Amino acid sequence: MIKNVKKLGAPLKGEITIPSDKSISHRAVMFSSIAQGECIIRNFSSGADCHSTLNLFKKLGVDIQFLDEKTLKIISNGTLKPNIDSIYSCGNSGTTMRLVSGILAGQNFDSVLTGDDSLSKRPMKRVIEPLVLMGADISSIDGHAPLTIHGRNLKGIVYSSKLASAQVKSCILLAGLNAEGQTKVIEPSLSRNHTELMLKYLGVDIKSENNEVTIKPSRLTAKNIDIVGDISSAAFFIAAGLIVKGSDFVIKNTGLNPTRSGIIDVVRRMGGNIEIINLHTVSGEEVGDIRVQYTENMKSCCIEGADIPRLIDELPIIAVLASQAEGETIVKDAGDLRNKESDRIKCLVRELSKIGINIEEREDGFIVRGKSRGKLGGKLEDKLKGGSELECYHDHRLAMSFYVAGLICENEIAINGFEWTKISFPEFEELFSRLSL
Ligand code: S3P
């Protein structure tokens, strides 16, 4: 589907509520499916990825019912039952494939995990290697899906991960739940900790200290879970509010877990007008409302090292934001962006260049040269010309980042493949229209 986006003639105003966090929604279904008892999950994501997880656990015999569009009731005795064909689709969802591998590796049955074309190109060695060290038996197509998992008894390990990846960490911790002895994961810097928080909330013996997490084999006890709004979805609105002239609005119910809120720190470093109101905790996760206002004089910044896992999914929209800040924004240590739903470095640079953003590809990131005053000083030049058709490479976050860029382009842009936004955020456009009424 091609989406045409025109420059906004008026500021964004009002108030919106950000829908459910994708990472937490996946975990709520997975962990409640292997917990004993009955629970209600409120504000479940309507994104296609989380529905892939939900359908997979239904296929594994878990009783999951929708009480309404976003409320689930899950009843489980804590065990999974193999389906007759043993094949489970993860759709487009890397989180589903990588976390579920950890759950299935220690079962007493065999399973095959499949994915769509994009997921089948993404690297799975990062989870196969540690699981094999735990005693798992997994075959793949040279480190790619489909993954054939022969259930085995697992043993705990101490694993120093080269990547700061919550998917890798969570996979090993979930395998550790069902292994003999304790399992420890050490990360180079801390990735999102939703798994640790939710497992603790459900009664698991799990301890975190700095970048290390230790888990002991435990049973999970079902408990109701309320899912907060997704900061990765809010990021598109934060950026739009900062760059569309005259905007001033409130984004309610946004998850603000410190391992996910790198975008807030970056906006502050850039001098963006952003304010957190009403900070509180829901089902173990921090949440609050964000007021964002148009900011004319944002400055560039450097984003690297431990910043990266705290905003990994926000880097495409940060590139758009950086085009409206004065100076050079440098993103480094983000090479894993090449392994997301698309090669997000190459695709972002190729497409944003088309609309006049000065962006340069680097092996492990990119450089955006934003507004400048020219040799003689004077007024900052901030115009994006637009007028082109952008390809989103089946990548939901690229599609939404391009949409936000389109709101400030001089000429209308077209985004090819805009329907991919449904992967994480089907409500995206409708929420924009509410702010621009
Ligand atoms: C996710 C972790 C991140 C992120 C992905 C969701 C998760 O991946 O990019 O969208 O839910 O654990 P990595 O941890 O592999 O970087």
Side-chain angles (χ1 to χ4, degrees):
M1 168 194 151
I2 294 195
K3 177 89 217 152
N4 295 308
V5 187
K6 274 199 192 120
K7 183 171 176 164
L8 270 187
L12 296 163
K13 297 269 183 183
E15 186 178 286
I16 50 167
T17 299
I18 284 295
S20 175
D21 187 280
K22 176 161 91 71
S23 290
I24 303 177
S25 289
H26 281 298
R27 286 158 173 83
V29 167
M30 292 179 194
F31 303 174
S32 303
S33 294
I34 55 170
Q36 247 172 342
E38 185 176 316
C39 69
I40 303 289
I41 296 174
R42 287 186 208 91
N43 195 30
F44 182 69
S45 166
S46 46
D49 269 7
C50 296
H51 284 251
S52 295
T53 292
L54 186 145
N55 290 330
L56 190 150
F57 280 93
K58 272 187 168 172
K59 210 168 167 188
L60 282 164
V62 182
D63 179 357
I64 308 180
Q65 300 154 36
F66 274 96
L67 299 184
D68 63 42
E69 225 186 334
K70 293 189 172 182
T71 311
L72 303 175
K73 182 177 182 179
I74 302 190
I75 307 171
S76 175
N77 62 7
T79 56
L80 302 172
K81 280 197 283 302
N83 186 271
I84 193 123
D85 70 3
S86 306
I87 300 172
Y88 307 96
S89 165
C90 303
N92 187 249
S93 172
T95 307
T96 310
M97 184 164 287
R98 296 195 177 117
L99 270 62
V100 169
S101 304
I103 295 176
L104 292 178
Q107 302 293 326
N108 57 6
F109 56 83
D110 297 348
S111 351
V112 179
L113 292 180
T114 62
D116 70 4
D117 287 351
S118 151
L119 183 55
S120 304
K121 290 191 190 106
R122 295 178 65 186
M124 293 298 147
K125 269 200 185 116
R126 57 183 63 195
V127 290
I128 297 173
E129 273 174 13
L131 290 175
V132 166
L133 290 175
M134 297 178 85
D137 180 349
I138 303 178
S139 48
S140 67
I141 314 285
D142 195 23
H144 298 89
L147 304 183
T148 304
I149 303 175
H150 303 286
R152 291 280 180 272
N153 290 332
L154 305 178
K155 54 182 190 308
I157 52 166
V158 176
Y159 191 73
S160 278
S161 178
K162 288 195 284 292
L163 290 168
S165 159
Q167 294 182 347
V168 171
K169 170 174 67 178
S170 303
C171 167
I172 302 167
L173 293 173
L174 290 168
L177 270 179
N178 221 354
E180 193 191 317
Q182 70 174 31
T183 295
K184 186 183 209 167
V185 185
I186 306 160
E187 299 189 273
S189 64
L190 187 60
S191 65
R192 63 190 68 188
N193 65 355
H194 304 303
T195 295
E196 296 92 303
L197 294 181
M198 197 181 289
L199 288 179
K200 194 171 205 151
Y201 178 76
L202 299 178
V204 170
D205 189 346
I206 182 164
K207 290 192 178 64
S208 306
E209 217 186 311
N210 302 320
N211 305 341
E212 299 187 4
V213 199
T214 309
I215 194 166
K216 293 203 177 125
S218 332
R219 284 191 177 282
L220 285 71
T221 310
K223 217 167 148 184
N224 294 345
I225 300 172
D226 285 292
I227 302 171
V228 301
D230 197 324
I231 190 165
S232 300
S233 300
F236 301 108
F237 290 88
I238 294 173
L242 292 166
I243 66 178
V244 173
K245 287 204 171 75
S247 297
D248 182 355
F249 58 88
V250 173
I251 308 169
K252 298 196 82 171
N253 189 40
T254 305
L256 290 166
N257 178 321
T259 63
R260 286 284 295 285
S261 58
I263 175 91
I264 307 281
D265 300 341
V266 161
V267 167
R268 286 188 172 139
R269 274 191 242 156
M270 293 173 111
N273 271 324
I274 191 169
E275 194 189 340
I276 310 272
I277 325 161
N278 185 24
L279 188 66
H280 60 289
T281 303
V282 169
S283 303
E285 292 280 352
E286 284 180 41
V287 56
D289 303 335
I290 298 173
R291 179 175 177 199
V292 58
Q293 287 170 280
Y294 170 67
T295 310
E296 190 164 9
N297 300 312
M298 279 188 297
K299 297 265 178 294
S300 59
C301 70
C302 186
I303 305 169
E304 60 187 326
D307 292 333
I308 299 297
R310 299 180 58 238
L311 45 64
I312 184 75
D313 292 339
E314 286 65 80
L315 287 168
I317 189 62
I318 286 175
V320 174
L321 189 60
S323 75
Q324 300 306 295
E326 184 179 358
E328 264 187 19
T329 293
I330 302 173
V331 173
K332 43 186 172 183
D333 307 319
D336 206 35
L337 267 189
R338 296 191 184 275
N339 298 314
K340 295 295 177 186
E341 285 81 335
S342 67
D343 176 340
R344 282 193 181 149
I345 299 180
K346 187 191 279 283
C347 299
L348 193 62
V349 170
R350 184 186 291 152
E351 301 306 305
L352 290 185
S353 302
K354 288 185 188 167
I355 55 170
I357 294 185
N358 183 340
I359 178 167
E360 180 187 322
E361 180 173 355
R362 288 294 167 100
E363 192 46 44
D364 67 342
F366 50 83
I367 299 178
V368 178
R369 298 186 177 89
K371 296 193 216 174
S372 68
R373 289 181 196 275
K375 285 204 183 82
L376 300 172
K379 199 180 174 304
L380 285 168
E381 191 51 59
D382 62 349
K383 297 267 190 296
L384 301 186
K385 64 178 170 48
S388 14
E389 181 169 323
L390 275 62
E391 182 52 58
C392 77
Y393 306 92
H394 302 181
D395 185 332
H396 55 128
R397 297 202 199 280
L398 291 189
M400 293 185 277
S401 302
F402 299 159
Y403 182 98
V404 173
L407 299 177
I408 57 161
C409 282
E410 287 307 304
N411 304 299
E412 181 172 306
I413 65 163
I415 305 166
N416 192 16
F418 195 71
E419 68 279 8
W420 284 88
T421 52
K422 293 201 173 61
I423 287 294
S424 63
F425 197 0
E427 306 86 346
F428 176 77
E429 243 202 303
E430 203 249 305
L431 286 184
F432 260 108
S433 65
R434 266 196 235 169
L435 290 177
S436 49
L437 278 181

